[in-house]
Amino acid sequence: MLKKKFIVSFLSVSILLSSCSNYKELNQISIVNAMGIDYLPKEKKYQVIIQIINPSAIATQTGSQGIPVIALEEKGRTISEAARNVSKKGSRTNIYSHVALVIIGETLAKEKSLNFIFDVFERDSKIRVNIPVIIARDKNVNKVMNNIASLDKLSAKSIVGKIKNTSSLLGENQETLMREAVSAISSSGREPVINGASLENESKTSQTLENMEKVKSSYDKINGTGIFREGKLVGWLDGPQAKSIQIIDNLIKETNIQIPCNKKEYDSMEITRLKSKTEIKMKGNIPIINIKVNSIGHIDEVLCNDNFDKAITLDKYEKLAENVIKRTIEIGISEVKKLGGDAFGFGEKLHMSNPKIYKKYEGNWNDTFKKSKVSVDVDVQINNVGMRKKPYPY
C-alpha cells in the first residue's frame, strides 16, 4: 500500500515539474501585436517588421508611460530567417500567438506571389491563421503599421476597427482573414481580394506621441481592394464599384447609394437588405453569368424637391436605384475582367453547380472569365422615406 502511494506521489510531482518546463516570467517575453512583411528587390531579401506591445504605455490603472508599441525590423533570405534575426535587437522572447494584424507591402504583393508568403504562418503552430491581412498601399509597411493612432493606442487595433466599421456601413471593403486568402489562393476558381491601407496626412511626428495630441493628426485609411491574378497583385478596385464583390458574395450588411434626381443633384438611399443569386452556364467556351439582386432600402436624404407622398415618386426612385446598383455591379465586373483575376469566385460557383464542365476550364479559368458575358437584374423596394414626405416649399 505504501509502495502504491509512493508511485502516485512520484507521478504527481513528475507531472507538475513537466508542466512547468516551458514556463516563462512575464518580464521575459514580448507580445507581438502586428507583423509587417515586404520584399527588397535590390537585395533579394524579405523584410520583417514586428510590433511589440509596451505594457507600461497601455496600462490604465497605474498611468501610461511611453509609446504604446515598439517596432523592430530585420532582413533575411526567408521570412523565418528575418523574424529570427530580430532576436539580435530584443532582450525578450517574442510571443506570436496574439498577432492581430499582418501587413503586406505592395512591392511584395506585386513582385512575389502570395503562394508562399503565408506558408510560414500555416506551418507554425505558434501563430493563428484567422488574422486580418491588409496591403500597405503606396507607402512602405513601416509607415502604415507604425503610425501612432490618435484614438486607439494600438495601431493594429485601429486599422482592424476601421475595416470592420467601413464594411458594416459602406460595403466597399470586407475584412479578409489569412485563412480566407489561403483558401482563395488554393482555389483554381477564385483569386483572393485583400484590402489596402494608406497613411494620410503624413508628418515627421506620425510615429511619435505628438501625433496623438494634434487635431489634424496623421492616420491610416482603408483604401481600395487589391485584385490578384495567380497570386500576384495586378491592380486596385476603388470607389462604389468595389461593392460589386461584396454584393455578389452576399456580404453587404448595410450601404448607401446616390441617386441622380436631376442633372446636378443627388438623393440618397440607405440599403438595409441586399441579397444576390448567381447562375453560371457555359455556351461554347464563353461563361454566361446571370446575377439577380433583391434589395430593400429607404430614402435618407433628399436634395431635390420630390413629393414622396405619391406612389409615382416611389416607383421612379425604385427604378433609378435599380439602375445605380446594376451599373455598380457591371462596372465592377468590367474593371476586374481587365485586370484578369476572378475576384468574384465565379469559377468556384460553376464548379459547385457543374463540376464536370468546370473541369475543362480549371487550368485556365482566369482567361475564360475575361471572355464572360454578364447580365444583371436588380429589384429594389423602398419601404420608408423617413419622417418627412412632402417637399420643402421652395
Side-chain angles (χ1 to χ4, degrees):
M1 187 70 178
L2 182 63
K3 186 177 180 180
K4 289 183 179 179
K5 286 184 179 180
F6 174 77
I7 292 171
V8 171
S9 299
F10 178 77
L11 287 172
S12 300
V13 172
S14 299
I15 291 168
L16 287 171
L17 288 174
S18 64
S19 65
C20 298
S21 61
N22 294 324
Y23 174 78
K24 282 184 172 62
E25 293 284 352
L26 287 175
N27 60 5
Q28 294 178 325
I29 64 172
S30 293
I31 297 175
V32 180
N33 181 57
M35 283 188 69
I37 308 170
D38 210 343
Y39 185 67
L40 307 172
K42 291 182 180 179
E43 300 180 50
K44 294 183 179 180
K45 287 186 176 181
Y46 293 93
Q47 180 188 41
V48 170
I49 306 168
I50 63 169
Q51 194 180 83
I52 299 168
I53 293 176
N54 180 7
S56 61
I58 61 173
T60 55
Q61 294 181 345
T62 58
S64 58
Q65 296 178 348
I67 55 175
V69 290
I70 300 164
L72 301 174
E73 63 181 89
E74 264 296 347
K75 296 175 286 186
R77 292 162 296 179
T78 64
I79 294 171
S80 296
E81 183 182 46
R84 288 180 183 273
N85 283 341
V86 173
S87 64
K88 300 175 184 178
K89 300 180 177 181
S91 59
R92 303 181 181 187
T93 303
N94 294 325
I95 303 298
Y96 291 90
S97 57
H98 294 279
V99 172
L101 179 68
V102 172
I103 304 177
I104 299 170
E106 188 168 1
T107 302
L108 171 60
K110 284 182 175 179
E111 297 201 13
K112 304 290 284 185
S113 173
L114 290 185
N115 287 0
F116 303 105
I117 302 307
F118 301 129
D119 182 85
V120 65
F121 295 94
E122 284 199 288
R123 291 180 189 275
D124 194 340
S125 61
K126 301 183 189 71
I127 192 166
R128 299 169 294 122
V129 291
N130 60 335
I131 311 167
V133 181
I134 65 165
I135 298 171
R137 185 174 180 180
D138 301 326
K139 300 285 184 180
N140 63 47
V141 174
N142 190 311
K143 291 183 178 181
V144 172
M145 76 180 290
N146 292 325
N147 177 68
I148 302 298
S150 55
L151 286 178
D152 296 293
K153 290 186 176 181
L154 302 178
S155 54
K157 180 183 177 183
S158 175
I159 293 171
V160 173
K162 289 172 184 177
I163 295 172
K164 291 181 178 179
N165 189 41
T166 190
S167 67
S168 64
L169 293 175
L170 186 59
E172 290 180 8
N173 302 84
Q174 188 68 33
E175 183 180 61
T176 301
L177 303 180
M178 186 184 294
R179 58 176 172 79
E180 293 171 337
V182 170
S183 176
I185 292 168
S186 305
S187 170
S188 60
R190 177 187 287 272
E191 293 284 351
V193 288
I194 301 178
N195 298 306
S198 59
L199 180 63
E200 304 291 320
N201 198 31
E202 182 185 357
S203 69
K204 294 180 179 179
T205 60
S206 294
Q207 297 187 16
T208 68
L209 289 175
E210 189 179 335
N211 191 54
M212 300 177 67
E213 299 170 356
K214 292 181 177 180
V215 174
K216 194 176 180 180
S217 60
S218 61
Y219 57 91
D220 290 312
K221 173 187 174 184
I222 307 305
N223 187 7
T225 299
I227 305 300
F228 289 77
R229 180 184 168 92
E230 296 176 356
K232 288 187 178 182
L233 179 68
V234 290
W236 295 91
L237 200 59
D238 293 301
Q241 58 262 35
K243 295 179 186 179
S244 59
I245 298 174
Q246 323 307 331
I247 291 172
I248 291 168
D249 278 340
N250 279 308
L251 295 174
I252 294 285
K253 299 170 187 174
E254 182 181 307
T255 189
N256 188 274
I257 60 173
Q258 314 312 312
I259 303 170
C261 50
N262 59 39
K263 293 182 179 180
K264 295 182 179 180
E265 301 291 345
Y266 290 83
D267 287 347
S268 175
M269 177 184 290
E270 180 182 348
I271 302 297
T272 55
R273 179 180 171 84
L274 193 150
K275 294 295 179 183
S276 69
K277 184 178 179 181
T278 304
E279 293 181 352
I280 305 175
K281 296 179 180 179
M282 297 299 298
K283 189 174 182 179
N285 293 321
I286 298 174
I288 307 299
I289 302 171
N290 298 308
I291 302 167
K292 292 185 178 181
V293 179
N294 291 295
S295 177
I296 296 175
H298 64 261
I299 303 296
D300 62 354
E301 184 180 2
V302 174
L303 297 179
C304 294
N305 262 1
D306 282 320
N307 188 351
F308 285 94
D309 216 12
K310 296 180 179 179
I312 191 172
T313 306
L314 294 175
D315 291 339
K316 171 185 140 183
Y317 274 85
E318 285 177 346
K319 287 182 173 60
L320 288 170
E322 288 167 359
N323 289 332
V324 170
I325 295 174
K326 181 179 179 179
R327 287 291 296 153
T328 297
I329 297 171
E330 289 175 342
I331 293 172
I333 294 175
S334 176
E335 291 297 315
V336 173
K337 283 169 70 175
K338 290 176 186 176
L339 295 171
D342 183 2
F344 303 95
F346 289 132
E348 280 188 351
K349 292 176 175 63
L350 178 61
H351 180 256
M352 290 176 66
S353 62
N354 202 325
K356 288 184 179 179
I357 289 180
Y358 176 71
K359 193 74 175 176
K360 299 177 184 178
Y361 307 95
E362 183 178 10
N364 199 27
W365 174 253
N366 280 329
D367 289 331
T368 304
F369 159 68
K370 290 174 71 174
K371 298 184 290 185
S372 63
K373 294 182 179 180
V374 181
S375 65
V376 182
D377 181 57
V378 181
D379 178 71
V380 174
Q381 294 182 9
I382 298 175
N383 66 352
N384 198 345
V385 296
M387 299 291 287
R388 186 180 186 88
K389 295 182 179 180
K390 292 185 179 181
Y392 284 95
Y394 305 107

